[in-house]
Amino acid sequence: MHDVLVVEDEEDIAVPLMRTLEREGYDVNRVSGGAEAVSFAVDKGPAVVILDLGLPDMDGIDVCRQMRSGGYLGGIIMVTARAGELDRVVGLDVGADDYLAKPFGLAELLARVRALLRRSAQVPQEDDSTVTTSSGLKIDAASRRVHLGEREIALTAKEFDVLAVLASNHDKVVPRETLMNQVWDQNWYGSTKTLDVTIGRLRSKLEAAEAGERVVAIRGVGFRLETGT
């Protein structure tokens, strides 16, 4: 059974959402404030967080940022009444995996949750479980961890999935469509800008770790992981 944290202060939204998730077999917890949400996610590590951006004590963007900086690596789906694309991109940039605009259908939300869990639950064949690049970057798909020497590089679920696909095709261009289909599911509803934001975060983390690997964009085609400065 997967556990889901619902971060929502409005009863008329939270109650039917929780009931729907529980009927689907999820173990559901709910908090109504941002500070409590950060503490719960970091301490308990739920599989998925459904995060409303309009909370009474904190902006949901800051909640997401603090969850990631605190070490939470599970899936985050933002729920927002904000219509602007900029808000959605900022949310993705601080570590969210997906977003839904209010009002939304519960069936669509469930599909998003299943897609996140399906990706994180996939276990590769043993022969392909670990990829080590010439620079010493080790991507262990079985444990879903990345190391450079003795140092672990903390990645979100989607950042890891993107890196795993690129690393298994090292020095080859992986088309955008391939990354979207393998990482976000063929039935992904949202914008492909999500991929660009995730690539940006992954680049920053590899650079900060001085990993010796870089993600190169091939305009109009896709991305390539290569060794180099």
Side-chain angles (χ1 to χ4, degrees):
M1 179 185 296
H2 294 290
D3 51 336
V4 177
L5 174 64
V6 174
V7 187
E8 173 61 68
D9 64 310
E10 297 184 29
E11 289 289 329
D12 58 340
I13 295 176
V15 172
L17 175 56
M18 292 176 65
R19 287 175 179 166
T20 299
L21 289 166
E22 287 169 347
R23 280 199 300 268
E24 292 294 313
Y26 297 107
D27 184 8
V28 185
N29 289 281
R30 177 205 172 189
V31 298
S32 57
E36 189 179 2
V38 172
S39 178
F40 190 101
V42 172
D43 293 343
K44 305 295 185 181
V48 175
V49 174
I50 299 172
L51 172 62
D52 180 31
L53 294 192
L55 299 173
D57 60 335
M58 292 174 64
D59 187 278
I61 298 292
D62 293 327
V63 175
C64 182
R65 182 184 292 111
Q66 289 187 28
M67 284 182 178
R68 292 308 191 198
S69 64
Y72 175 64
L73 299 177
I76 298 178
I77 301 175
M78 297 188 311
V79 176
T80 175
R82 304 171 188 175
E85 183 178 17
L86 179 59
D87 284 317
R88 296 195 294 269
V89 171
V90 170
L92 294 168
D93 198 32
V94 298
D97 297 291
D98 198 356
Y99 61 82
L100 271 174
K102 293 180 180 179
F104 57 86
L106 291 175
E108 181 179 359
L109 176 63
L110 289 173
R112 304 285 185 101
V113 171
R114 286 193 297 268
L116 267 181
L117 293 172
R118 186 163 56 247
R119 282 301 310 160
S120 61
Q122 286 181 351
V123 178
Q125 297 299 316
E126 187 173 347
D127 290 343
D128 300 323
S129 63
T130 301
V131 174
T132 303
T133 68
S134 60
S135 65
L137 188 68
K138 181 179 178 181
I139 300 100
D140 187 339
S143 66
R144 297 184 63 81
R145 302 175 76 178
V146 177
H147 288 85
L148 183 65
E150 297 298 318
R151 176 185 177 187
E152 182 172 1
I153 303 174
L155 301 180
T156 68
K158 287 293 185 282
E159 291 163 2
F160 180 91
D161 290 335
V162 169
L163 178 60
V165 174
L166 293 174
S168 65
N169 295 276
H170 198 275
D171 290 323
K172 300 176 182 177
V173 178
V174 180
R176 294 178 65 91
E177 282 188 4
T178 299
L179 283 167
M180 291 302 301
N181 289 342
Q182 292 191 24
V183 175
W184 275 271
D185 191 87
Q186 293 180 346
N187 298 315
W188 167 250
Y189 298 93
S191 167
T192 60
K193 192 178 292 292
T194 304
L195 171 59
D196 298 301
V197 172
T198 304
I199 289 285
R201 294 199 311 263
L202 178 59
R203 278 180 176 146
S204 296
K205 291 184 178 182
L206 292 177
E207 290 171 4
E210 299 181 346
E213 298 289 333
R214 63 175 184 171
V215 181
V216 179
I218 309 302
R219 188 176 179 86
V221 182
F223 299 91
R224 179 179 66 233
L225 183 70
E226 62 182 37
T227 303
T229 57

